[in-house]
Amino acid sequence: MTSTLPEKLASLLGNHGVVPANRLAEYSIDGLVPASVVQPTSREAIAEVLRWAAAEKLAVSPRGGGTQMSLGNTPSKLDLVMDLSKYHRLLDYQPADLTATVEAGITLEAFQRELAQGGNLASLEAPMADRATIGGILAANSSGPLRHSYGPARDWLIGISIVGPDGGETKAGGKVVKNVTGYDLNKLYTGSLGTLGVIVEATFKLAPFPTDSGALVAVFPSMQTAMDEARNLLAQIYSPQGVHIVNALTAEKLDLPFNVPTDGACVMAFCSGRSRAVQRRLEESATLLLERNASQVERLDEPSGAALLRRLTDLGWSAATTPQLSLKINVSPSLVPKAIAWHQNSGIDPPGILADAGFGSVRLFWWGEEALPISGVIEAIVRLRAIAQESGGSVVVEHCPLPAKAQVDVWGDTSVEVELMRRIKHAFDPLGTLNPGRFMGRL
Amino acid sequence: MVTAKFIQQLGAIVGAEDVISHPEDLLVYEYDGSVDRSMPGAVVFPTCTEEVSRVLALAHREGVPVVGRGSGTGLSGGAIAPEGGIQIAFTKMNHILEVDTENRTATIEPGVVNLDLDNYVRKFGMRYAPDPSSQKACSLGGNIAENAGGPHCLAYGTTTNHVLGMEVVLEDGTVMNLGGPTRETPGYDLRGVFVGSEGTFGVATKIMVRLLPLPEMVKTFLGIFPDIDTACTAVSAIIGHGIVPAALEMIDALSIKAVQSVTDAGYPADAGAVLLVELEGLKEEVEDVTKEVESALWDTGARDVRIAEDPADREKLWVGRKTAFGAFGTIAPNYYLVDGVVPRTRLAQVMRKVSEVSEKYRITIANVFHAGDGNLHPCMLFDEREPGVSERAAQAAQELMEYCVGVGGTLSGEHGIGLEKKEYMPLVFNEADLDQMRKVRDAFAPSNRMNPGKIFPDGVSYHAGSHRAAPGMYI
Ligand SMILES: Cc1cc2nc3c(=O)[nH]c(=O)nc-3n(C[C@H](O)[C@H](O)[C@H](O)COP(=O)(O)OP(=O)(O)OC[C@H]3O[C@@H](n4cnc5c(N)ncnc54)[C@H](O)[C@@H]3O)c2cc1C
Ligand SMILES: Cc1cc2nc3c(=O)[nH]c(=O)nc-3n(C[C@H](O)[C@H](O)[C@H](O)COP(=O)(O)OP(=O)(O)OC[C@H]3O[C@@H](n4cnc5c(N)ncnc54)[C@H](O)[C@@H]3O)c2cc1C
């Protein structure tokens, strides 16, 4: 049947809607090459392909910019990739209402460009903003270095339309900024990784474009002192909107204005908003860090501050910084100072560390050239998970060698809640058409 | 069915003194803040999760529907017991279990009253941001079920943005944790979809919320306008300038009169409308935005702009806003409130419609609402003893809801659908949209025994009645 697949799809979408066979490998997920890739440009086409795919019992993986397709468990089946990057219009923008509606395939960068013209901003952050799409960002509930203050994508989504595996389009929420009419399915679809439906349209509440921004970088003799000072900074009334700590290994990847000593660490702080407030945040934060024995504090005015913010957002996802293994530990913010040391129990080499002190996450990166032993990787994941879970946290595997992926669930251990998730998945996608196997519990 | 034996079994779980089943004791549990009423078969008052779980497991075995009840201030009939059902009242599960100043979180039982939590955490320099006007009475469990809003939700978001985790009990007694102490948890966002599910997924028995630090500076002003149309223009101008104040509330002429007759809030008696604007943040932010807000108010036609100089002044302005609904009792004994929400640029247009509807149906309508969010609260005031007036109020409400939807808005901004608005759901959602919602409910509650008969249209129309305004009540 796969031989007729491209022909059938071309009859549904026209030749321009089907990616030529010699480019299919670019769309592979964890080494699985899809039999076909479609690029629909209308909802009707999206619906028709899905309806047909379900009837043929094909597995479909929605895709935005493809910046993150290696995430999630290895698909249990992959026939068709639905690339939404050609479905990318801004549908409605009401600057005076601070709302906007887009098609799912628009990139974050293109969306922000349109909004800037009306003086607004979508409070969304994602790695590789020039390629990452709104659909992908929502599917992954993406966030960035300012998430502590502005929250992840789910906090800004007010309306959504999805096309289900049966080809039916449904909506939830609306275009108003406050809404309790029916269940808040916006929340369910956000972070569902394309396993419940293909996101086709999304409406956001917007924020005014900040008139000023800037960053600080400060060097400390050790991770622990840097961590303590970062937490102290966050407790101040003038605290920056995002405060992050990196060790020397990670600092190397960020192209900082100075070197961080091998055992040292760097605190990075980002501010944005109205000018006088931003300037005060930067000045008082710099003063405090210096008083607290930072060996060096540099202020990065624009565009340098924004450039560092972008490098930090892309860290671990851009081609140059993609590691062999990366793990994200979610914990309560007060546990971050402890969590940065947990890797010492991992049994493998010390990793690069990036901690978000306000939000409560620690990312660990193993960049080394030499391949990590698979058994060591699995052991490290299992051990870190045990420690994190004891503290009410979790560990998500962001990158890992494929053979290791086969043996651990990248999302974590399953629990009673997964049974409920399974019921939801089954009700929305009874045939397991969408991204089968990739989600938590290999749903 | 609620039999004598069933009541005895409930007593065996929670203690006989914590079950009530005599009709005269049940009277207060027959209604909430809405128009509908129905007597539960029994009300139980559990004191811990285990009791809740055992009650639910028992009810599940016996096929008895269950509804959670907080403080009964809901305005859409959410806590009204279904036919042959029981209520689990959370009055005795009202403890603040933990305040974590380092992580800025609080863990509480569902029966804790919203304002009690806020007052408590203020001692630690923090606050719980969602502040429904009913905050003196309503419970956090009810807030979660309705995804309650309040004046300060304009800047800080509604309840859903402040809930980190919940312990919930499902219809068969299963205890489950949704979300948790971390801002992110892998898997579907079950916590996010539970908030706003109006008690139809299960009951929350423990809630962990985020707290916010108190702001460095707060500034409150009163924009005084010749009429409501001009005041609406000012709202659009402020939002259109890219200013999202902490709160932006509208009070119309009729409400001003009612308020001033019970307390002196400092609202000028001859004003056509006032806007209550609050700014919060760093000193520099507040100072800069103050200038912009002031000029937006003057430029759009404010007659006067007053700034509260000290906390006492500020409190006075807010007391006015918060006593408005109670003060309506001086105008008429009954009220019925519409909770429509519209894009903020449509406010002036929609308020003109409200006054048309008031004339058309010969019903007095007062307006006190969350203007910054576009969340209207046209409040119909009448005396139900006047023949035909309740029906006219219901028709007027329907026309207003239809109009809100027509201009791109929706049915409810914060009070929920419940019994009251379920038949209007097709104005916004088609059958397929509603089916997606039913699928989620059925995953949580496969037997549909948690608060059945709510939210989804089923052709059973609610009793067009009305709620009695209670003068002096803090609402
Ligand atoms: C599981 C996961 C965790 C992540 N965690 C973080 C993080 O913590 N911080 C951070 O900054 N970034 C994170 N990212 C990256 C960030 O979310 C990406 O920038 C975003 O996913 C990029 O969008 P894209 O268009 O390239 O998506 P893609 O990489 O193309 O797709 C991402 C996922 O979304 C699905 N998808 C794509 N489009 C749609 C659609 N229209 N409808 C339904 N499903 C769709 C895909 O099937 C895929 O599963 C994460 C990504 C993933 C997948
Ligand atoms: C005068 C007045 C002003 C108001 N102002 C506002 C306002 O500004 N903003 C606003 O949002 N609302 C407002 N309300 C509406 C009401 O106060 C809110 O909906 C509130 O959240 C209800 O809380 P409650 O404890 O009274 O809940 P109840 O009325 O007892 O119950 C409401 C719903 O919550 C469910 N429930 C209760 N406890 C639980 C639990 N533990 N787990 C699961 N479900 C549960 C019930 O089953 C029911 O469906 C106002 C009401 C009045 C009377």
Side-chain angles (χ1 to χ4, degrees), chain A residues 96-98 141 143 147-148 151-152 154-155 162 169-173 175-185 187-189 191-192 195-196 208 231 234-235 237-238 274 276-277 280-281 328 330-334 359 392-394 396 411 416-417 420-421 423-425 427-428 439-440 443, chain B residues 102-104 146-147 160 176-177 181-184 186-193 197 200-201 214 216 239-240 242-244 282-285 287-289 292 341-345 370 373 375 408-417 425 428-429 432-433 436-437 439-441 443-444 455-456:
Chain A
D97 278 325
L98 291 177
N141 189 25
S143 60
R147 63 177 83 84
H148 162 58
R154 58 163 243 154
D155 290 358
I162 68 146
E169 182 173 336
T170 54
K171 62 181 182 302
K175 287 193 170 189
V176 287
V177 297
K178 192 174 173 196
N179 191 347
V180 295
T181 312
Y183 300 142
D184 191 357
L185 300 191
K187 299 288 187 293
L188 184 67
Y189 296 129
S192 67
T195 57
L196 299 178
R231 297 278 312 151
L234 280 162
I237 195 90
Y238 53 80
R274 280 167 192 269
R276 284 206 307 146
R280 175 175 159 208
R281 286 181 202 275
K328 182 163 83 177
N330 298 306
V331 283
S332 299
S334 66
F359 191 77
S394 55
V396 172
W411 305 107
V416 253
E417 292 74 47
L420 180 51
M421 293 180 197
R423 291 208 289 267
I424 293 175
K425 165 73 177 175
F428 279 74
F439 204 50
M440 196 176 195
L443 290 182
Chain B
E102 226 192 317
N103 289 308
R104 295 195 181 122
E146 305 292 359
N147 187 15
T160 189
M176 198 176 270
N177 287 302
T182 57
R183 286 278 290 273
E184 252 175 47
Y188 295 136
D189 184 5
L190 299 176
R191 153 195 69 175
V193 77
S197 62
T200 60
F201 288 0
L214 294 174
E216 183 179 46
I239 303 289
I243 299 165
V244 182
L282 281 189
K283 180 169 160 286
E284 290 78 4
E285 275 161 4
E287 285 170 356
D288 291 351
V289 181
E292 292 171 34
V341 40
V342 296
R344 295 169 277 203
T345 44
H370 311 305
D373 287 318
N375 189 185
T410 193
L411 303 175
S412 182
E414 56 182 24
H415 299 160
I417 300 302
M425 284 291 268
V428 182
F429 294 116
D433 301 334
Q436 295 288 87
M437 296 184 193
K439 284 177 194 166
V440 185
R441 181 201 59 197
F444 276 93
I455 304 178
F456 299 98

Side-chain angles (χ1 to χ4, degrees), chain B residues 151 154 235 238-239 245-250 275-278 369-372:
Chain B
L154 176 56
V235 172
I238 291 171
I239 303 289
L248 181 51
E249 301 279 308
M250 173 92 72
L275 272 185
L276 189 56
V277 191
E278 191 151 276
F369 61 100
H370 311 305

Side-chain angles (χ1 to χ4, degrees), chain B residues 13-333:
Chain B
I13 297 170
V14 296
E17 68 289 359
D18 283 336
V19 184
I20 56 173
S21 56
H22 290 297
E24 60 269 34
D25 295 333
L26 291 172
L27 275 180
V28 263
Y29 296 94
E30 197 187 29
Y31 55 86
D32 61 357
S34 73
V35 294
D36 231 329
R37 52 187 62 197
S38 156
M39 194 172 281
V43 182
V44 291
F45 300 84
T47 53
C48 64
T49 304
E50 203 214 321
E51 288 181 1
V52 174
S53 166
R54 290 174 60 200
V55 167
L56 278 164
L58 169 68
H60 189 62
R61 277 198 305 277
E62 301 294 324
V64 173
V66 179
V67 48
R69 183 182 180 95
S71 307
T73 69
L75 290 171
S76 53
I80 307 290
E83 189 81 24
I86 60 164
Q87 283 181 351
I88 298 185
F90 289 100
T91 335
K92 293 199 168 175
M93 289 177 70
N94 64 344
H95 301 96
I96 297 176
L97 302 174
E98 191 192 3
V99 173
D100 178 343
T101 51
E102 226 192 317
N103 289 308
R104 295 195 181 122
T105 60
T107 306
I108 52 168
E109 291 183 326
V112 170
V113 168
N114 176 297
L115 188 62
D116 291 347
L117 171 64
D118 188 52
N119 283 337
Y120 187 78
V121 301
R122 273 176 195 263
K123 287 185 252 179
F124 304 97
M126 299 184 292
R127 63 154 153 190
Y128 178 62
D131 55 344
S133 310
S134 51
Q135 70 183 147
K136 261 191 184 168
C138 66
S139 72
L140 265 297
N143 290 174
I144 280 196
E146 305 292 359
N147 187 15
H152 290 85
C153 293
L154 176 56
Y156 302 109
T158 53
T159 302
T160 189
N161 292 17
H162 301 272
V163 176
L164 275 172
M166 278 171 288
E167 176 189 79
V168 304
V169 186
L170 305 188
E171 61 176 12
D172 62 356
T174 308
V175 181
M176 198 176 270
N177 287 302
L178 310 182
T182 57
R183 286 278 290 273
E184 252 175 47
T185 45
Y188 295 136
D189 184 5
L190 299 176
R191 153 195 69 175
V193 77
F194 189 96
V195 176
S197 62
E198 302 194 19
T200 60
F201 288 0
V203 291
T205 44
K206 211 178 274 174
I207 303 162
M208 187 187 242
V209 295
R210 288 171 58 205
L211 304 172
L212 299 179
L214 294 174
E216 183 179 46
M217 185 182 252
V218 182
K219 204 156 216 177
T220 310
F221 3 179
L222 195 66
I224 297 156
F225 288 86
D227 51 60
I228 199 155
D229 214 72
T230 325
C232 288
T233 321
V235 172
S236 305
I238 291 171
I239 303 289
H241 270 89
I243 299 165
V244 182
L248 181 51
E249 301 279 308
M250 173 92 72
I251 301 145
D252 77 351
L254 186 58
S255 311
I256 292 171
K257 283 202 194 76
V259 166
Q260 289 294 119
S261 75
V262 297
T263 176
D264 180 18
Y267 301 168
D270 61 342
V274 295
L275 272 185
L276 189 56
V277 191
E278 191 151 276
L279 301 176
E280 296 181 347
L282 281 189
K283 180 169 160 286
E284 290 78 4
E285 275 161 4
V286 173
E287 285 170 356
D288 291 351
V289 181
T290 295
K291 286 189 209 124
E292 292 171 34
V293 168
E294 264 187 294
S295 42
L297 294 173
W298 286 118
D299 291 350
T300 47
R303 226 175 59 189
D304 196 4
V305 178
R306 292 184 195 162
I307 300 189
E309 294 303 337
D310 52 44
D313 259 8
R314 190 160 70 230
E315 185 54 29
K316 195 165 132 180
L317 290 180
W318 275 111
V319 164
R321 163 65 181 89
K322 290 178 176 173
T323 32
F325 284 94
F328 292 158
T330 62
I331 301 176

Side-chain angles (χ1 to χ4, degrees), chain A residues 174-392:
Chain A
K175 287 193 170 189
V176 287
V177 297
K178 192 174 173 196
N179 191 347
V180 295
T181 312
Y183 300 142
D184 191 357
L185 300 191
N186 289 313
K187 299 288 187 293
L188 184 67
Y189 296 129
T190 306
S192 67
L193 220 80
T195 57
L196 299 178
V198 174
I199 299 168
V200 290
E201 185 181 307
T203 302
F204 294 92
K205 66 176 163 176
L206 308 174
F209 202 89
T211 47
D212 200 3
S213 54
L216 286 178
V217 279
V219 181
F220 284 92
S222 73
M223 272 304 269
Q224 269 327 314
T225 50
M227 197 65 235
D228 294 343
E229 296 319 324
R231 297 278 312 151
N232 181 39
L233 185 56
L234 280 162
Q236 306 304 318
I237 195 90
Y238 53 80
S239 81
Q241 279 89 349
V243 179
H244 302 265
I245 304 96
V246 292
N247 65 354
L249 222 49
T250 302
E252 268 174 39
K253 304 276 175 189
L254 286 170
D255 193 14
L256 294 173
F258 41 64
N259 286 327
V260 176
T262 315
D263 293 323
C266 175
V267 171
M268 286 170 283
F270 300 91
C271 301
S272 77
R274 280 167 192 269
S275 193
R276 284 206 307 146
V278 167
Q279 293 309 316
R280 175 175 159 208
R281 286 181 202 275
L282 290 169
E283 272 155 37
E284 296 201 25
S285 300
T287 309
L288 182 80
L289 291 169
L290 275 173
E291 276 170 11
R292 297 296 204 122
N293 299 322
S295 62
Q296 198 172 354
V297 177
E298 293 268 337
R299 202 169 134 160
L300 303 182
D301 291 325
E302 299 312 357
S304 313
L308 178 62
L309 185 65
R310 201 159 41 241
R311 288 197 296 278
L312 190 62
T313 311
D314 291 351
L315 187 78
W317 309 105
S318 63
T321 61
T322 300
Q324 286 188 53
L325 171 66
S326 64
L327 306 177
K328 182 163 83 177
I329 308 175
N330 298 306
V331 283
S332 299
S334 66
L335 287 174
V336 172
K338 284 207 180 98
I340 55 171
W342 288 346
H343 69 85
Q344 289 162 7
N345 302 296
S346 70
I348 47 178
D349 295 344
I353 302 173
L354 164 61
D356 184 336
F359 191 77
S361 73
V362 177
R363 286 169 70 200
L364 305 176
F365 306 100
W366 282 267
W367 280 293
E369 309 260 298
E370 214 171 300
L372 293 164
I374 298 306
S375 57
V377 167
I378 295 169
E379 184 64 23
I381 295 169
V382 170
R383 285 192 202 173
L384 279 169
R385 255 186 199 150
I387 306 174
Q389 280 166 359
E390 230 168 82
S391 306

Side-chain angles (χ1 to χ4, degrees), chain A residues 29 60-72 82 84 104-106 125-129 131-145 147 192-195 197-200 313 317 328 363 396-398 411 435 438, chain B residues 184:
Chain A
I29 303 175
V60 180
S61 188
R63 170 180 163 124
T67 61
Q68 243 64 62
M69 295 306 285
S70 63
L71 268 158
M82 181 178 279
L84 289 140
I106 192 171
E125 299 176 286
M128 327 300 284
R131 284 168 51 210
T133 61
I134 294 303
I137 288 167
L138 287 173
N141 189 25
S142 151
S143 60
R147 63 177 83 84
S192 67
L193 220 80
T195 57
V198 174
I199 299 168
V200 290
T313 311
W317 309 105
K328 182 163 83 177
R363 286 169 70 200
V396 172
V397 181
E398 292 185 328
W411 305 107
N435 270 340
R438 291 180 70 195
Chain B
E184 252 175 47

